[in-house]
């Protein structure tokens, strides 16, 4: 039920269903609908029908949009004593933008006007409906108090919906949430219209875009317990694993990871005929999509302002918050201040990129909008990240020969011999990895790089492991990254001591070198140089791995040059083999240095201990 405030939507709903949908105390006191009202109308073996009574007052337009999203038939309510009013026109615009095709016009309060006046009202309404989705809609005259015409309207609603094509219940389940509440002893319950797919009791689900994992404990469809709910049905789902406070209208309950969550949408929009104010480039807008309401900015690529336009405009919405959406989803755009409906449209691509201003971008968006085979493949790969050939056939409904030919395009990439992905997606993952590595290098400039397993672990939830592996190896092959053992770093990264500690580190190394073979504990050098404990571990590893320090044991370290000089001195002073005494004579070291020094020679493979002797290995 849609229409202007006080035109009798709630009374008509009650007359049809015997349910008063004004539940809130405030609604009773003010006699207007604030929240969405729901009432079961009819059920048989073929069909279940529920009425959604949406608020008509201007301030409650957000709830109205949430109510009409995903419905199958609209009854436009117009009071006989007032005719078409401003909110009626706005509702008409919104219904058109949301792609509602089925409509019935119900003229209410017919007992309040003279019979000859009814024809004038009908003519007035017909004139207003020209060019809208309701221009050929049937008219019904009703009075909710006397019940005149109520049964006839009910039968027309049932007949109209039975002729309508049923929604496809295949594919992943999606339910945009329009109500969240708790039931004593049961916990959190969400309600909404099932957009697509089906859900059953006990099924594991996810709340998006928050990413909260839940389980469907119990289901109700049209206020009755059910084992399963299908596309097009009103469902209430009792969820385990989440508190009411963690959810809100606009969240989406899904069964699959494949839905796209995004802040940048490529869209096709139409605007209302009588805009009061100019729509300007990057102007703040309020997006209503599904049951979500999100602020963002509108970005044009072929103009800087818009006042009147009869056709579709290809543009982009850049949002402040993520929304879950897919190609073809309908939406409404409103100006936040002063409030007015600007227009509406549909999502061409839920994962838009940044484009240049100009006709070339418009041409690319036109191609996307057309949904040619290449775009269908790209959309499937954007959603799933990577797919095998047979899965792509299922997702795109393309003939295998056509699919094979399209996959030859350079924008698609075959990796590991069996999976396809998008070159653009690989570039995007590479860019993300690049940023992560760059951040890591800034935080840990003395470390060789990030452990590859750790780098991939941080992205495992978003992308298949095989694709991440391929992306790393691809970037190494192209010279964007480099590998050092299990560590990955940017190709142009060179390990270094942080600038503000460089001088102290140099002093530490110099003091160690000055002391030659008679060194103190390493901790004493760090303390004398003023190196804090928080930095000491990383600095010690850096100096050791870059050859500036050579450990004897956990406490004594030699300067790299001093150690190398000692090795050369010992080589020159001994033959192919030597004993501890020979080494002491050559280097003049006490036992506390001598034994660790010789063990370090063994560890480095320079010598090998054979009974009481050491044998040079090279």
């Amino acid at each position: 039920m849609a229409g202007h405030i006080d035109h009798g939507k709630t009374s008509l709903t009650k007359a049809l269903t015997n349910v008063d949908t004004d539940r809130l105390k405030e609604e009773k006191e003010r006699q207007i609908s604030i929240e969405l009202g729901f009432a079961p109308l009819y059920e048989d073996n073929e069909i279940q029908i529920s009425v959604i009574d949406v608020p008509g007052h201007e301030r409650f337009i957000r709830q109205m949009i949430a109510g009409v999203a995903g419905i199958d038939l609209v009854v436009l309510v117009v009071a006989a004593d007032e005719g078409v009013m401003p909110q009626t026109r706005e509702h008409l615009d919104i219904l058109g933008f949301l792609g509602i095709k089925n409509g019935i016009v119900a003229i209410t309060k017919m007992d309040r006007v003279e019979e000859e006046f009814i024809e004038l009202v009908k003519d007035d309404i017909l004139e207003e409906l020209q060019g809208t989705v309701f221009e050929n809609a049937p008219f019904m005259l009703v009075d909710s108090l006397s019940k005149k015409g109520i049964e006839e309207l009910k039968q027309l609603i049932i007949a109209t919906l039975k002729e309508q094509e049923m929604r496809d219940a295949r594919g992943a389940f999606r339910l945009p949430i329009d109500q969240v509440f708790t039931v004593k002893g049961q916990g959190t319950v969400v309600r909404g219209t099932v957009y697509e797919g089906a859900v059953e009791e006990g099924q594991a689900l996810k709340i998006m875009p928050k990413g909260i994992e839940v389980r469907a404990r119990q289901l109700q469809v049209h206020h009755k317990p059910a084992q399963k709910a299908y596309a097009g049905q009103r469902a209430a789902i009792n969820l385990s694993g989440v508190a009411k406070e963690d959810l809100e209208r606009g969240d989406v309950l899904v069964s699959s990871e494949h839905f796209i969550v995004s802040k940048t949408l490529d869209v096709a929009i139409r605007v209302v005929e009588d805009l009061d104010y100019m729509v300007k480039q990057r102007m703040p807008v309020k997006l209503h999509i599904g049951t979500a309401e999100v602020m963002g900015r509108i970005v044009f690529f072929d103009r800087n302002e818009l006042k009147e336009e009869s056709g579709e405009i290809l543009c982009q919405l850049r949002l402040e918050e993520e929304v879950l959406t897919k190609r073809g989803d309908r939406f409404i755009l409103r100006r936040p201040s002063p409030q007015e409906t600007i227009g509406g449209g549909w999502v061409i691509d839920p994962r838009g990129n940044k484009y240049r201003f100009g006709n070339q971008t418009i041409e690319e968006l036109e191609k996307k909008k057309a949904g040619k085979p290449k775009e269908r493949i790209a959309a499937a790969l954007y959603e799933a990240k990577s797919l095998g050939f047979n899965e792509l056939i299922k997702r795109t409904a393309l003939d295998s020969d056509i699919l094979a030919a399209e996959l030859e395009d350079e924008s698609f990439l075959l990796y590991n011999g069996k999976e396809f992905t998008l070159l653009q997606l690989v570039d995007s993952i590479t860019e993300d990895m690049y940023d992560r590595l760059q951040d890591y290098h800034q935080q840990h400039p003395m470390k060789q790089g990030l452990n590859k397993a750790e780098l991939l672990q941080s992205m495992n939830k978003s992308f298949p492991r095989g694709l991440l592996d391929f992306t790393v190896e691809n970037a190494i092959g192209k010279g964007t990254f480099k590998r050092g053992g299990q560590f990955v770093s940017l190709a142009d990264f060179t390990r270094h001591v942080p600038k503000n500690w460089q001088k102290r580190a140099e002093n530490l190394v110099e003091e160690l070198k000055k002391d030659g073979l008679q060194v103190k504990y390493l901790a004493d050098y760090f303390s004398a140089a003023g190196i804090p404990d928080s930095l000491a571990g990383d600095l010690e590893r850096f100096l050791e791995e870059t050859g500036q320090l050579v450990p004897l044991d956990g406490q004594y370290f030699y300067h790299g040059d001093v150690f190398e000089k000692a090795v050369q001195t010992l080589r020159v002073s001994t033959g192919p083999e030597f004993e501890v005494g020979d080494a002491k004579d050559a280097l003049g070291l006490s036992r506390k240095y001598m034994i660790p020094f010789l063990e370090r020679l063994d560890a480095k493979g320079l010598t090998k201990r054979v009974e009481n002797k050491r044998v040079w290995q090279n």
Side-chain angles (χ1 to χ4, degrees):
M1 299 286 178
H4 193 76
I5 183 173
D6 201 31
H7 273 210
K9 295 186 298 299
T10 303
S11 298
L12 181 55
T13 301
K14 187 175 181 181
L16 285 165
T17 65
N18 294 317
V19 174
D20 184 355
T21 55
D22 278 352
R23 314 175 310 284
L24 303 180
K25 180 184 175 186
E26 187 182 359
E27 292 177 330
K28 296 288 189 187
E29 290 173 352
R30 295 170 60 184
Q31 295 187 327
I32 60 172
S33 298
I34 298 170
E35 288 295 334
L36 302 169
F38 304 96
L41 175 72
Y42 176 82
E43 180 178 354
D44 64 16
N45 292 332
E46 289 182 63
I47 197 166
Q48 288 175 313
I49 304 171
S50 280
V51 178
I52 306 175
D53 174 20
V54 298
H57 194 276
E58 180 185 9
R59 286 183 301 179
F60 306 127
I61 199 81
R62 178 172 73 92
Q63 286 89 332
M64 195 282 283
I65 293 170
V68 299
I71 62 152
D72 301 299
L73 171 69
V74 171
V75 176
L76 182 68
V77 179
V78 184
D81 56 348
E82 287 193 328
V84 174
M85 298 292 283
Q87 245 61 62
T88 316
R89 295 187 186 95
E90 185 166 25
H91 284 206
L92 279 168
D93 284 335
I94 288 168
L95 295 170
F97 293 137
L98 290 175
I100 306 297
K101 294 181 175 66
N102 274 353
I104 296 171
V105 179
I107 302 177
T108 59
K109 306 184 183 182
M110 58 177 288
D111 284 3
R112 291 192 184 185
V113 299
E114 299 295 328
E115 195 168 327
E116 59 268 22
F117 190 70
I118 294 290
E119 289 304 315
L120 294 174
V121 173
K122 284 180 67 174
D123 289 342
D124 179 47
I125 295 171
L126 274 170
E127 189 176 333
E128 291 287 348
L129 296 181
Q130 289 299 310
T132 74
V133 291
F134 283 83
E135 65 178 343
N136 296 315
F139 275 68
M140 295 297 293
L141 304 175
V142 296
D143 188 86
S144 301
L145 297 180
S146 67
K147 300 292 181 77
K148 285 181 185 176
I150 295 299
E151 184 58 31
E152 291 83 352
L153 175 60
K154 182 174 180 178
Q155 293 306 316
L156 178 60
I157 291 170
I158 295 167
T160 303
L161 285 171
K162 282 194 172 185
E163 289 176 7
Q164 184 165 314
E165 186 179 339
M166 293 297 171
R167 296 193 185 202
D168 190 350
R170 293 174 298 177
F173 165 76
R174 175 167 58 144
L175 179 143
I177 295 169
D178 54 43
Q179 287 183 330
V180 184
F181 52 95
T182 54
V183 175
K184 193 171 182 180
Q186 299 295 320
T188 305
V189 177
V190 299
R191 186 184 281 147
T193 301
V194 183
Y195 261 34
E196 56 192 321
V199 62
E200 56 187 39
E201 281 192 355
Q203 188 171 349
L205 302 167
K206 208 165 208 180
I207 303 287
M208 298 298 286
K210 295 184 171 78
I212 303 171
E213 295 181 354
V214 296
R215 192 169 292 277
R217 193 154 48 188
Q218 291 177 314
L219 299 179
Q220 276 195 359
V221 174
H222 299 263
H223 301 282
K224 293 182 180 179
Q227 294 295 313
K228 204 164 183 178
Y230 298 91
Q233 291 182 319
R234 288 290 304 168
I237 304 178
N238 177 211
L239 300 177
S240 62
V242 67
K244 173 182 179 288
E245 293 71 28
D246 295 330
L247 304 181
E248 59 190 328
R249 176 187 289 161
D251 289 338
V252 186
L253 191 60
V254 298
S255 64
S256 169
E257 295 278 353
H258 293 155
F259 287 107
I260 295 171
V261 172
S262 172
K263 284 186 177 182
T264 307
L265 312 181
D266 294 340
V267 298
I269 67 167
R270 292 181 184 272
V271 294
V272 298
E273 288 184 7
D274 50 353
L275 274 175
D276 290 332
Y277 302 93
M278 189 82 70
V279 178
K280 296 189 176 180
Q281 177 74 292
R282 299 184 181 273
M283 185 186 86
V285 291
K286 192 177 288 185
L287 169 73
H288 297 270
I289 188 162
T291 57
E293 176 187 9
V294 179
M295 289 298 297
R297 294 186 180 274
I298 189 165
V299 178
F300 298 116
F301 301 107
D302 59 350
R303 68 196 72 205
N304 285 309
E305 57 185 29
L306 172 67
K307 185 72 164 69
E308 293 181 8
E309 180 74 44
S310 58
E312 279 190 327
I313 301 142
L314 303 182
C315 56
Q316 193 173 77
L317 299 176
R318 295 182 186 169
L319 308 175
E320 293 179 4
E321 302 170 49
E322 290 182 323
V323 295
L324 181 142
T325 185
K326 65 187 290 188
R327 179 182 168 89
D329 281 356
R330 296 274 180 166
F331 60 85
I332 298 297
L333 288 178
R334 300 198 84 229
R335 187 191 304 274
S337 179
Q339 292 190 13
E340 68 167 340
T341 298
I342 296 168
W346 60 282
V347 177
I348 297 172
D349 187 347
R351 201 185 290 274
N353 289 303
K354 289 194 174 179
Y355 312 120
R356 294 179 181 276
F357 187 93
N359 288 331
Q360 186 176 348
T361 292
I362 297 297
E363 288 170 10
E364 288 301 313
L365 291 177
E366 285 284 5
K367 290 178 188 175
K368 276 192 183 184
K369 178 187 166 188
K372 293 176 181 176
K374 180 180 174 182
E375 281 70 48
R376 283 154 67 181
I377 299 167
L381 290 174
Y382 265 128
E383 192 172 328
K385 311 300 187 290
S386 77
L387 293 167
F389 188 82
N390 289 336
E391 188 61 28
L392 272 169
I393 290 176
K394 294 177 191 174
R395 298 273 187 125
T396 61
L398 291 172
D399 178 83
S400 59
D401 292 339
I402 294 173
L403 178 60
E406 291 291 338
L407 287 171
E408 294 294 325
D409 189 275
E410 61 182 12
S411 59
F412 304 118
L413 193 151
L414 178 68
Y415 72 96
N416 71 18
K418 58 183 180 179
E419 297 282 315
F420 290 91
T421 190
L422 289 162
L423 182 60
Q424 187 179 8
L425 192 57
V426 171
D427 289 344
S428 176
I429 298 172
T430 305
E431 190 175 331
D432 195 359
M433 289 178 170
Y434 189 99
D435 291 342
R436 289 168 192 258
L437 289 173
Q438 193 169 54
D439 289 344
Y440 188 84
H441 292 332
Q442 287 174 353
Q443 293 172 30
H444 307 284
M446 291 183 287
K447 291 189 176 180
Q448 187 174 346
L450 184 59
N451 190 300
K452 180 184 173 183
E454 191 178 340
L455 175 64
L456 300 194
Q457 181 67 32
S458 64
M459 303 175 76
N460 264 348
K461 286 188 177 180
S462 302
F463 303 99
R465 177 62 185 247
L467 179 56
L468 294 176
D469 265 322
F470 168 80
T471 304
V472 170
E473 297 306 318
N474 185 59
I476 291 171
K478 287 185 172 181
T480 306
F481 302 161
K482 62 184 176 185
R483 189 207 321 270
Q486 77 266 38
F487 298 103
V488 179
S489 65
L490 298 181
D492 58 358
F493 171 69
T494 304
R495 301 168 72 185
H496 62 278
V497 178
K499 193 173 181 180
N500 51 333
W501 294 106
Q502 280 179 359
K503 192 64 182 174
R504 295 189 186 200
E506 288 170 4
N507 291 341
L508 180 155
V509 172
E510 199 55 43
E511 285 299 313
L512 190 73
K513 186 175 185 180
K514 195 185 299 181
D515 287 346
L517 297 174
Q518 308 295 324
V519 292
K520 302 186 286 285
Y521 288 154
L522 184 66
D524 293 338
Y525 291 100
F526 274 87
S527 179
I531 304 293
D533 291 343
S534 60
L535 192 69
D538 280 355
L539 180 57
E540 178 186 319
R541 278 190 294 275
F542 170 74
L543 294 174
E544 183 181 335
E545 288 171 3
T546 54
Q548 297 179 69
L549 292 185
V550 177
L552 300 187
D553 53 21
Q555 295 176 316
Y556 294 116
F557 286 72
Y558 281 163
H559 187 282
D561 293 348
V562 170
F563 179 82
E564 289 299 326
K565 187 176 180 181
V567 172
Q568 292 305 317
T569 299
L570 187 56
R571 275 185 184 277
V572 171
S573 304
T574 61
E577 57 184 37
F578 62 91
E579 297 181 355
V580 173
D582 300 326
K584 287 179 70 174
D585 292 341
L587 299 175
L589 288 175
S590 64
R591 184 174 180 81
K592 74 174 182 178
Y593 296 120
M594 192 73 257
I595 299 305
F597 176 80
L598 294 177
E599 287 176 349
R600 177 53 53 185
L601 293 182
D602 295 341
K604 279 180 166 287
L606 296 173
T607 58
K608 182 179 180 181
R609 184 173 178 176
V610 180
E611 295 180 349
N612 291 328
K613 295 182 178 180
R614 260 136 180 127
V615 179
W616 290 104
Q617 294 299 292
N618 49 46

